[in-house]
Amino acid sequence: MKVSIITVVLNNADCIADAIESVLSQKLEGAELEYIIVDGGSTDNTPEIIKSYGSRITRTITGKDKGIYHAMNKGLQAATGDIIGILNSVDFYTGPHVLAKVLEVFKSTNADTVYGDLKYVHPQDTDRTLRYWRSGIYRPGSFKLGWMPPHPTFFVKKHLYEKHGYFDTEFTSAADYELMLRMLHKHNASAGYVPEVLVKMRAGGKSNKQISNRLHANREDRRAWQKNGLRLPFYTGWLKPLRKLPQFLRRGK
């Protein structure tokens, strides 16, 4: 079995090494790791950092893109693994056995997708937890209740991308939500859950930086339902932000 991990980056010399190290440190017995980095044309020291890892990085795709989701699609098109995960350049896996645990759930459940928990951490002090996103078990209809898994912990069998498509680049901040909604809710892909923190994410992502950005993301969430021909219950838009409140309450755990 082969696992492909994709990291998209643009001018992130401060953090990219943490993401790379966390991927290359994974201990996979009986499985092959393919690591693809998509660099959108960085002008800082990012390309030099990537090159310093030599052939340990399977492939680097360099060139301007039309946004983060277009860059992710470049990585998906290049990936040859049976299972694909996407790790942002500001994120990192919490330990060397993350991918092994994910593969074990794929094998034991035969699920189409697997996800876990995530911690938002301070950008400089990554031992300081700001939010703790405990996903919980997915059940049919969970998206109507405002549920979604954290995308950096979301692993998908390659054939699902081939069957149901890649990221919809018409979305600027919620293409990950739309993709997971499409796969899990619309097409009934099965999901396995690893009940522990798989990824740490530095706080300050595009959709969470400002209230205006969050409102834009909420509008895109609604459009994701419409574009998939799904009826959005009136209460979903309220429940989705409300589900985030416990993440702040349990941040020190």
Side-chain angles (χ1 to χ4, degrees):
M1 180 176 287
K2 181 190 289 187
V3 184
S4 297
I5 302 299
I6 299 164
T7 294
V8 170
V9 64
L10 178 64
N11 293 329
N12 196 11
D14 291 341
C15 302
I16 185 64
D18 287 346
I20 293 173
E21 292 286 351
S22 77
V23 174
L24 297 181
S25 68
Q26 294 301 303
K27 299 185 182 302
L28 287 172
E29 294 186 8
E32 181 183 352
L33 174 64
E34 176 182 64
Y35 190 27
I36 299 170
I37 295 182
V38 184
D39 183 359
S42 295
T43 56
D44 63 357
N45 199 40
T46 296
E48 286 69 29
I49 294 172
I50 296 171
K51 288 177 184 176
S52 71
Y53 289 91
S55 61
R56 296 179 68 198
I57 295 172
T58 311
R59 182 174 179 183
T60 301
I61 302 171
T62 304
K64 290 186 177 181
D65 50 60
K66 300 175 183 178
I68 187 170
Y69 297 118
H70 179 244
M72 288 179 180
N73 283 344
K74 285 184 178 181
L76 290 173
Q77 290 166 352
T80 62
D82 305 290
I83 293 166
I84 304 175
I86 297 178
L87 185 74
N88 301 321
S89 64
V90 296
D91 306 343
F92 54 94
Y93 293 128
T94 53
H97 301 288
V98 166
L99 297 186
K101 292 174 182 177
V102 168
L103 287 183
E104 180 56 37
V105 173
F106 269 111
K107 292 175 182 177
S108 64
T109 65
N110 198 31
D112 299 313
T113 69
V114 170
Y115 65 92
D117 299 342
L118 176 144
K119 282 186 178 181
Y120 287 87
V121 296
H122 189 277
Q124 285 78 45
D125 182 5
T126 57
D127 289 326
R128 179 181 168 193
T129 301
L130 304 179
R131 289 170 58 185
Y132 188 154
W133 188 338
R134 183 171 294 146
S135 303
I137 297 173
Y138 171 73
R139 295 179 176 84
S142 291
F143 275 88
K144 291 182 178 181
L145 301 177
W147 181 92
M148 67 176 287
H151 183 248
T153 75
F154 190 63
F155 297 82
V156 182
K157 288 182 176 177
K158 181 178 174 61
H159 75 82
L160 256 70
Y161 284 113
E162 295 170 341
K163 184 177 181 180
H164 301 309
Y166 297 160
F167 292 98
D168 187 334
T169 55
E170 289 186 10
F171 293 85
T172 59
S173 64
D176 50 354
Y177 176 75
E178 188 279 328
L179 181 136
M180 294 186 289
L181 175 74
R182 185 184 349 132
M183 289 190 173
L184 295 176
H185 185 73
K186 181 178 181 178
H187 294 297
N188 299 310
S190 56
Y193 174 44
V194 181
E196 60 183 86
V197 178
L198 302 181
V199 174
K200 286 188 176 183
M201 169 186 281
R202 288 178 172 85
K206 180 178 180 181
S207 64
N208 293 289
K209 261 186 179 178
Q210 299 176 350
I211 293 177
S212 60
N213 289 345
R214 187 59 256 168
L215 292 174
H216 172 71
N218 288 342
R219 288 193 294 269
E220 288 210 334
D221 289 351
R222 291 195 295 272
R223 190 154 62 90
W225 286 75
Q226 295 168 354
K227 189 157 188 180
N228 282 286
L230 300 169
R231 188 181 69 83
L232 177 66
F234 74 91
Y235 50 81
T236 303
W238 294 97
L239 290 177
K240 194 165 182 281
L242 286 175
R243 291 182 72 99
K244 295 181 180 180
L245 294 179
Q247 297 175 14
F248 295 92
L249 297 177
R250 65 169 71 101
R251 61 186 178 180
K253 298 181 181 179

